[in-house]
Amino acid sequence: ENRWRSFHFWHRQRLGAFPQHLHDYVEILYICTGESTCTVDMTLYDLRAGDVLFVFPNRIHAYGKPMCDVENYALLFPNSIPVFDETFAHFVPECPVLRGAVDADTARLFAAAEAERAREDSAYLKGAFLGYISIILSRLLPKLRLRPCVPEENQLERRLIEYCSLHYTERISL
């Protein structure tokens, strides 16, 4: 199992299926072209070009197999970004999908973050990503309808997944 504590960014031409999982960082998926499906907290959502998916920390989610190529940007980062950390700690989206939320300026921010990632010589890459992520969040988070987090939500499923994550090298019985 990969456990990351830094910023991760991908620009992909395909979106693969991925089984249910959870993690303690924030995941943002911007669909540029194509269509796919995702499940967040046991609810199925369709994803189309221009949509943005927000997966807050510790939310069970999965990706379905797309019917065609799906160009996308994926951002994964710790939930401890200043200014936004309280939002990620105490709220969840009513609906994690923002329909057609990316305007031309925001699309350029995703592209600029990709260009910065390509500059492997940058000693300040983490700072640059923090800047791009902060601006992207500043543009997109106000469009989400948030509600307070209820700690008991999906408690059984979360406990099962956490147990399997901790004991996956051992024999696990029912």
Side-chain angles (χ1 to χ4, degrees), residues 60-161:
I60 298 170
H61 61 288
Y63 295 102
K65 185 174 187 208
M67 298 303 207
C68 59
D69 287 348
V70 179
E71 181 186 359
N72 65 91
Y73 287 97
L75 291 169
L76 287 93
F77 52 90
N79 62 354
S80 57
I81 293 181
V83 178
F84 303 104
D85 55 348
E86 289 296 315
T87 299
F88 296 128
H90 300 293
F91 295 92
V92 293
E94 286 182 10
C95 175
V97 178
L98 288 176
R99 299 280 178 214
V102 177
D103 59 18
D105 288 338
T106 307
R108 281 192 288 277
L109 289 168
F110 280 97
E114 176 186 21
E116 186 65 32
R117 183 183 59 99
R119 292 183 48 213
E120 294 179 12
D121 63 335
S122 175
Y124 305 103
L125 183 60
K126 187 174 180 179
F129 270 134
L130 178 59
Y132 285 116
I133 290 170
S134 294
I135 296 169
I136 289 169
L137 288 173
S138 294
R139 290 175 180 255
L140 296 177
L141 276 177
K143 297 178 182 183
L144 278 178
R145 294 182 70 183
L146 300 175
R147 63 176 171 77
C149 229
V150 178
E152 297 82 29
E153 289 180 32
N154 299 320
Q155 180 124 6
L156 177 61
E157 294 91 348
R158 183 172 289 110
R159 286 180 38 220
L160 286 168
I161 291 172

Side-chain angles (χ1 to χ4, degrees), residues 9-15 28-36 47-53 68-75 98 100-104 106-112 114 136:
F9 178 88
W10 296 274
H11 180 203
R12 305 172 291 200
Q13 298 304 313
R14 295 175 192 248
L15 178 64
I28 298 176
L29 182 72
Y30 161 41
I31 304 293
C32 304
T33 62
E35 297 179 358
S36 189
L47 300 174
R48 300 183 295 266
D51 290 350
V52 176
L53 171 69
C68 59
D69 287 348
V70 179
E71 181 186 359
N72 65 91
Y73 287 97
L75 291 169
L98 288 176
V102 177
D103 59 18
T106 307
R108 281 192 288 277
L109 289 168
F110 280 97
E114 176 186 21
I136 289 169

